[in-house]
Amino acid sequence: MVKPRMPKKMGRRDFIAGLAAAAVTFVAGGAIGRRLFPQAATHSVSVVSASLPPPWTNVVDFGADPTGKSDSSEAFIRALTHIEQSAASNPAHETLGNDTARGRVKLYVPEGCYLLSKPEALMRHSYHSKTLGLVIQGAGRGLTQIYYRNSKAGEYLLYNKDTWLFISISDIEFISDDVNNNFMYSYSEGSAQNYTFERCMWSGSWNYVFHLEGTNTNSEMTWFHCNFSGVIRAGIYVPADGGSDQFLNYNFYSCQFEVEEGNYLVFEKGGNINIWGGSIIHYDRDKGGTFFKLMNGGHFGGVERFLCIGARFEHRNKNSKLIECEWNDGAVSFISCDMSSQAFQLAPAIHATFRSINQKMPSITFQSCVLMGKHEFRYLSRSWESPHNIVYESCEFAHGLMADEFIVYTNDESSLPDYKGGRPQVIFRNCRSIHATHETGFYDSDLGFQSNNRAVLTKKLISIRNAFGALPHNGEAESFQLPLGAIILNVKFIGKPDAVTSEAAADYWIETSEQVPARIAAVYAEQASRGFQANIDPVFECNTDAKRKLRLCSGSKVDEPNGGAYCLIEYIG
């Protein structure tokens, strides 16, 4: 029997909130003696019924030490026992068609630091009654700390063996000083599911914060405004051996994963994952990890979807990776994310890797993102047998001037012939380099089409003018650069009659920047004021640096800038 503690004084807000309950239970007089409300009280009024458990169970009433000086493991286990024993059968089980029990007690952990040395002090695998509803509530991040100092590897602070579902844990900081410690193990064959974590922190050193295994569910999990810091081998880990493609629907809202070293999400099976905002950082200058690891191909249909919107990333060293993806289907999307803040002090390194394991990749989209470093696409000898779909749209790039400096292709079977047909085509639309100038503004391209065995190309039509919005004159030239490997299909020179008054010749051409420039297209008219027109199909391949760096030139006798004329260039690639 737990010795009751005398209630402290109740504040005005708490008194009002508990007035109704106090009126009902005042006569009972407090047979159990645990406080209904965790806050201090101003009236010695017992609000506990002798026949019903209180809505809050305060762990301090079970002997927990909020100073952190003594081990509170046994106190938490006593509180946990009370929660388990208070679970009740569901009166509506016939209507609902199942006999899952219902939790009836909420555990409150007031402000303070609680030292726990024993595993499974917050949830244990020995509890076998399937129960819906568990609430563990702290006073706030930093206010309530649970310091887990377990000395045995492979143990967990919470162990759910397909028993608890609809769990809510909030406003607690969990601390570990051993990288072998684990926070929660959840095994599910259809019951364990639907967890919510609000304003929680995991600090210090952890192995797995969440380790999910089983054959079904372990789904519908949500994290609101949570923090991960220190060294974390895996924030959420789903292993290939022991996990399931039935684990789905994970949502992270405005969470911080700011660690010295570690991996955020490691899914060796499929998943349906959403990241909504937040700050994601490897802050060490040498140690890194991979924020998102979506591993192995061949998952079930409908279980490969990853979406990250509005998050901010910092790669502070070359070992910090955004993503490693081997999924073979579904969609991987980053929208309005920024990864560029450290680009000013790092040389370009590979920060994202996508791998085709002799199969198609997921549909990969980066939209309205600011990216740094390089992205790598790896392929095998039969990757050419499947179509790939990769698009960067309205993105900005912190390293390099053109798309060929951003993408890296790697053959993962170097012992075999290089089946380059498996190199995925990568499409860039409405993109630019952060360092782009008027000469290097044309970033859009269909990179890799020269090798990919089933490339779908789009024609790009560009216009060249000078700073005054006209074609150059007096022998001047306008320099510009096309993507490496682009093929110029057509050049049009169009000058409207009477756009200028000059009676001098209209003399324009496009040439390469080779030591001996090659003319690709030209137009000449005896009198510019009469207008001019030329339509040339050069089919010219820009396959070297000198051939892609081009100039629109004017003859020395062109004496008037022509704002009514056009130089239009159509290319693919």
Side-chain angles (χ1 to χ4, degrees):
M1 182 68 180
V2 177
K3 183 179 179 181
R5 302 181 65 202
M6 293 300 292
K8 297 181 180 179
K9 292 188 176 182
M10 179 182 290
R12 176 176 173 273
R13 292 176 62 189
D14 299 330
F15 179 78
I16 294 172
L19 189 59
V24 173
T25 60
F26 179 78
V27 178
I32 298 178
R34 298 181 195 86
R35 291 170 294 181
L36 174 62
F37 298 100
Q39 293 85 354
T42 57
H43 299 277
S44 296
V45 178
S46 175
V47 291
V48 179
S49 167
S51 58
L52 293 174
W56 285 104
T57 289
N58 191 325
V59 72
V60 174
D61 290 331
F62 291 85
D65 175 15
T67 70
K69 294 178 180 179
S70 60
D71 192 346
S72 293
S73 297
E74 293 300 331
F76 273 77
I77 291 171
R78 287 192 291 270
L80 179 59
T81 300
H82 174 65
I83 292 170
E84 294 170 348
Q85 293 175 349
S86 298
S89 60
N90 182 11
H93 69 91
E94 291 184 0
T95 300
L96 298 177
N98 71 73
D99 58 357
T100 301
R102 294 299 193 266
R104 289 293 185 255
V105 174
K106 298 183 285 187
L107 178 63
Y108 181 71
V109 187
E111 57 271 19
C113 181
Y114 302 86
L115 175 62
L116 301 181
S117 66
K118 292 187 177 181
E120 302 186 30
L122 281 178
M123 186 180 294
R124 52 191 175 183
H125 76 279
S126 59
Y127 181 63
H128 299 297
S129 178
K130 287 182 172 37
T131 305
L132 189 156
L134 173 64
V135 175
I136 301 175
Q137 172 75 50
R141 287 175 291 190
L143 280 73
T144 297
Q145 297 175 295
I146 292 179
Y147 189 7
Y148 185 43
R149 299 194 67 180
N150 169 53
S151 60
K152 296 180 181 179
E155 303 286 353
Y156 297 82
L157 184 58
L158 292 85
Y159 196 117
N160 187 12
K161 194 174 182 180
D162 201 29
T163 301
W164 289 99
L165 58 157
F166 288 80
I167 298 168
S168 176
I169 299 177
S170 55
D171 295 302
I172 300 175
E173 178 184 9
F174 299 95
I175 304 166
S176 164
D177 61 0
D178 189 335
V179 77
N180 294 310
N181 279 341
N182 305 283
F183 176 70
M184 182 177 190
Y185 178 80
S186 180
Y187 178 85
S188 180
E189 292 181 353
S191 293
Q193 60 182 293
N194 210 309
Y195 304 163
T196 301
F197 298 88
E198 295 185 73
R199 300 175 301 279
C200 289
M201 297 177 67
W202 292 272
S203 308
S205 299
W206 294 92
N207 182 35
Y208 303 139
V209 181
F210 296 92
H211 182 180
L212 311 180
E213 290 189 344
T215 60
N216 197 7
T217 62
N218 249 336
S219 302
E220 318 304 331
M221 298 187 186
T222 303
W223 290 260
F224 289 97
H225 299 277
C226 290
N227 304 71
F228 302 80
S229 64
V231 175
I232 294 178
R233 286 179 176 165
I236 290 82
Y237 176 55
V238 179
D241 185 12
S244 170
D245 279 339
Q246 296 299 320
F247 298 176
L248 299 169
N249 301 338
Y250 303 91
N251 288 279
F252 301 80
Y253 293 91
S254 193
C255 292
Q256 294 171 273
F257 185 82
E258 299 180 353
V259 301
E260 175 185 349
E261 180 180 15
N263 309 304
Y264 193 178
L265 310 183
V266 181
F267 280 69
E268 295 177 358
K269 305 296 285 187
N272 188 67
I273 304 164
N274 297 301
I275 311 291
W276 307 94
S279 175
I280 304 174
I281 299 172
H282 286 128
Y283 58 74
D284 192 79
R285 293 301 176 186
D286 182 55
K287 301 173 185 175
T290 302
F291 295 131
F292 310 118
K293 301 185 76 169
L294 312 177
M295 307 307 293
N296 304 317
H299 301 302
F300 294 159
V303 302
E304 296 171 276
R305 194 190 68 85
F306 175 93
L307 173 65
C308 181
I309 295 181
R312 183 182 182 276
F313 297 81
E314 287 190 21
H315 302 292
R316 296 190 183 177
N317 65 74
K318 65 179 181 180
N319 299 312
S320 172
K321 311 292 184 185
L322 173 66
I323 186 171
E324 182 180 356
C325 178
E326 295 178 342
W327 281 0
N328 70 313
D329 215 331
V332 173
S333 304
F334 290 85
I335 300 174
S336 191
C337 295
D338 193 315
M339 298 95 170
S340 67
S341 70
Q342 303 301 304
F344 74 98
Q345 61 183 355
L346 293 179
I350 293 173
H351 292 294
T353 296
F354 299 90
R355 181 179 293 109
S356 164
I357 308 176
N358 284 326
Q359 57 198 357
K360 66 178 178 293
M361 298 178 181
S363 291
I364 299 167
T365 302
F366 287 82
Q367 181 180 341
S368 301
C369 293
V370 187
L371 307 171
M372 66 177 282
K374 301 180 180 184
H375 286 188
E376 178 185 39
F377 292 87
R378 306 180 75 93
Y379 59 97
L380 298 175
S381 59
R382 297 201 322 276
S383 295
W384 58 270
E385 295 178 352
S386 302
H388 308 290
N389 184 17
I390 303 160
V391 177
Y392 294 79
E393 185 166 14
S394 299
C395 290
E396 197 168 44
F397 301 89
H399 285 121
L401 291 173
M402 305 296 279
D404 59 277
E405 299 175 66
F406 176 71
I407 298 297
V408 176
Y409 290 114
T410 302
N411 175 16
D412 264 344
E413 289 181 314
S414 57
S415 61
L416 298 177
D418 189 354
Y419 289 85
K420 294 181 180 180
R423 293 182 179 182
Q425 177 186 350
V426 182
I427 297 172
F428 294 85
R429 292 198 295 250
N430 196 32
C431 293
R432 67 183 180 188
S433 167
I434 284 179
H435 308 289
T437 68
H438 66 288
E439 294 186 10
T440 56
F442 299 125
Y443 202 99
D444 289 9
S445 58
D446 300 320
L447 196 72
F449 82 95
Q450 300 93 337
S451 301
N452 184 263
N453 66 319
R454 295 293 186 272
V456 178
L457 304 181
T458 56
K459 294 179 180 180
K460 291 88 175 170
L461 185 64
I462 62 174
S463 172
I464 307 297
R465 290 173 176 269
N466 66 13
F468 301 99
L471 298 190
H473 68 294
N474 290 336
E476 296 174 348
E478 284 296 312
S479 298
F480 62 99
Q481 184 171 314
L482 294 184
L484 186 65
I487 298 176
I488 298 175
L489 301 178
N490 180 263
V491 178
K492 288 183 172 67
F493 293 99
I494 303 170
K496 296 182 291 184
D498 300 321
V500 293
T501 59
S502 173
E503 296 184 2
D507 184 15
Y508 306 98
W509 67 92
I510 294 174
E511 66 181 25
T512 66
S513 59
E514 297 169 287
Q515 189 172 3
V516 179
R519 285 199 180 189
I520 299 170
V523 63
Y524 184 86
E526 291 291 340
Q527 191 171 329
S529 60
R530 295 179 181 177
F532 55 88
Q533 194 170 93
N535 186 20
I536 305 104
D537 298 326
V539 190
F540 180 83
E541 185 174 6
C542 305
N543 56 4
T544 68
D545 234 22
K547 288 183 178 180
R548 72 166 169 177
K549 293 178 179 178
L550 306 172
R551 293 187 291 263
L552 169 60
C553 302
S554 62
S556 59
K557 294 182 180 181
V558 178
D559 60 2
E560 186 178 348
N562 193 335
Y566 298 91
C567 173
L568 305 177
I569 302 170
E570 182 181 68
Y571 72 93
I572 58 172

